[in-house]
Every structure is written in structure tokens, then in C-alpha cells.
Amino acid sequence: MSVLIIVLLQSCANNEGSVPIVSIHKIADSKNTWCYSMGGHIYNSFLDSTLFFDEKQQLCSRFRPDLQEDTCIKLKINKKIKPHFDSICYSNDTDGRYCIVLDAIFKDDSCHAFVYYPIEKQGEYRFSLTNLESSLLNMLLLQLPTTSYVKADKRSAENHTRYSSLSTYDGTCISHIFANMLSDNIDENIAMCLDAIESIACWHINDTNMINDTFEKNVYREHHNMIMQHYGVTLIPSETPPPFR
């Protein structure tokens, strides 16, 4: 269990209910995947809109009756935490059928996103984050290393791919992360943060009208593709829907 999770568990032992609480549910039998319950919504990076809590407050899915949670963290949100960056840029690549391939640029409480897959969602989006969403991301981002982190090994029993990259900026790039999210030993703080960013972006993309259904390939995708190629990862052609895995 990571240092962050231990801290989160300890922080919730006192005064629970006095501040907003986000419950973070680790999905069993699925590497580095969580669901985030906050503000009356359940956020996830694998596009399951049928998630709900049963009478025992266990996370369930009508779409995946076999879905189970491994652990649940109750995170007390500190809205006064200030980020040490002015913007973050997130990109991912995955051939999972029920995922979104995107670039997302977060600045203050707003996001500018470019979606490449699925085809019906392909386009440009802009949306604002809630105060609770921003506060959660700030808390998770502040746990990340201030130096670059790369975990690009391909040693995985999974039959599909899931790569994520994240850059934080304060005038200039101050840190960079690139990770194979299906790695067995990725830093759990990093994996949770990357998954939360993707989950929040996906929730808004599914709830927001696109502002443009065509766009030029932007500098963030080009940068992500260069990293993927550097580590010998096969790029996913955005023109062709990935197969069901």
C-alpha cells in the first residue's frame, strides 16, 4: 500500500463528515483502475455508466455483474490546497474498446480536450471542473514526484495496451510522467492520479457537447506520439476503431 493511501486513511479517521469526502474504489482484477464517487456522480476511465452502490455500499455494475472492488479509500478533501503548477497536459493511448483516447489540457478550473476515439466522440471539447474535482486533482497531483518518472516496460499479461503521459507546467515544464498503466509495479500514487485525471475528463466529455468535430493534430498529441515511439510502443491508428479485447 502506497504512502499516499496510508496518509489518506489516517486523515479520514478524525472529523469525518466535517469536510467533503471522495470515496475511491480500487477495481479488483483490473490493474491500476479506480472509480471516484463525488458530488453525486461515479467517475471512471472505462466508460461504464451503469455503476451503482448496493445496500452495503459496495460498488456494482449492471453492465459487468462480475465487477468487484478490491479496496475503498475515503479521502477527506482539503479545498485550500494550492497547486504548485499553472497547467497540466494529459494524453493517453489505449486499444480498450470502452475507453476514450484523448489529449486534455487543464488550466485553473477549465479543460480543453481533443478526443480521437471513439469515432462518435471525435472532436474538440471545453468544460469547467467543479470545485470538488479540482480539489481532488490538486491533492493527487501534489503527491507526484517533482522529477520525471517513466515506467514504460511491456511486461504484462494483459492482451491490450494502456499508456498515459502527463506534463506539469509553471511557465516551463517542471515534471513529466509516462507510464504503462498495465505495469505490475507502477508507483500507485502516480497510477491513481493518472486514472483520476482520465476519469474526470471522460465524465465531462460524455456530458458536454463538442465545440468542433474536426481539428488539427495538436502539439500535445505529437509530443505524446514521440514519447510512445521512443519507447517502442506501437501507435493506435485513430482512423480505425480498436478491436474489442
Side-chain angles (χ1 to χ4, degrees):
M1 184 176 288
S2 68
V3 172
L4 171 61
I5 291 178
I6 293 173
V7 171
L8 300 186
L9 289 171
Q10 291 175 340
S11 70
C12 294
N14 300 311
N15 301 320
E16 185 169 348
S18 61
V19 295
I21 299 291
V22 173
S23 59
I24 304 175
H25 304 261
K26 178 74 170 65
I27 304 303
D29 301 322
S30 184
K31 286 191 179 72
N32 301 313
T33 304
W34 290 263
C35 289
Y36 311 82
S37 177
M38 57 182 164
H41 303 294
I42 302 176
Y43 300 72
N44 68 87
S45 59
F46 50 91
L47 301 186
D48 185 349
S49 61
T50 71
L51 296 169
F52 66 99
F53 294 104
D54 65 13
E55 64 279 1
K56 297 180 180 179
Q57 290 303 299
Q58 292 292 306
L59 186 68
C60 302
S61 168
R62 295 183 180 89
F63 179 69
R64 291 175 53 189
D66 60 338
L67 181 141
Q68 294 182 340
E69 66 177 56
D70 183 31
T71 55
C72 175
I73 304 162
K74 298 291 186 178
L75 173 58
K76 187 167 59 175
I77 297 297
N78 184 350
K79 293 185 177 182
K80 296 181 180 180
I81 289 180
K82 300 298 182 183
H84 66 288
F85 48 83
D86 57 30
S87 61
I88 62 171
C89 300
Y90 172 86
S91 296
N92 72 341
D93 247 305
T94 175
D95 62 0
R97 188 178 182 90
Y98 300 104
C99 297
I100 289 180
V101 177
L102 76 157
D103 302 319
I105 301 90
F106 296 82
K107 187 174 179 62
D108 298 324
D109 295 330
S110 64
C111 180
H112 188 189
F114 302 88
V115 174
Y116 303 91
Y117 179 83
I119 300 302
E120 61 271 19
K121 290 286 186 182
Q122 192 174 79
E124 188 177 355
Y125 298 77
R126 288 185 185 273
F127 50 85
S128 297
L129 274 64
T130 68
N131 186 266
L132 192 55
E133 292 166 347
S134 295
S135 297
L136 171 64
L137 291 186
N138 285 342
M139 291 183 69
L140 296 177
L141 286 161
L142 286 169
Q143 301 297 324
L144 300 186
T146 56
T147 56
S148 295
Y149 175 94
V150 175
K151 189 64 179 176
D153 64 89
K154 303 176 190 177
R155 295 185 293 276
S156 172
E158 303 286 343
N159 60 358
H160 57 91
T161 59
R162 186 186 180 201
Y163 288 87
S164 297
S165 64
L166 177 70
S167 296
T168 58
Y169 296 86
D170 184 8
T172 59
C173 184
I174 57 177
S175 69
H176 178 74
I177 291 169
F178 178 65
N180 173 8
M181 293 290 284
L182 299 180
S183 174
D184 289 322
N185 54 353
I186 183 175
D187 182 287
E188 195 165 30
N189 291 349
I190 289 174
M192 184 187 295
C193 183
L194 293 174
D195 189 70
I197 292 170
E198 183 177 340
S199 297
I200 289 172
C202 288
W203 192 92
H204 282 280
I205 288 166
N206 282 325
D207 194 54
T208 304
N209 293 325
M210 71 176 68
I211 61 173
N212 185 10
D213 60 3
T214 58
F215 55 84
E216 297 290 333
K217 184 179 292 186
N218 62 76
V219 64
Y220 308 105
R221 179 55 40 168
E222 292 176 357
H223 182 60
H224 179 75
N225 286 350
M226 288 175 59
I227 296 170
M228 296 272 285
Q229 291 171 335
H230 177 77
Y231 291 104
V233 180
T234 302
L235 297 176
I236 303 167
S238 59
E239 298 79 11
T240 305
F244 177 76
R245 298 294 180 94

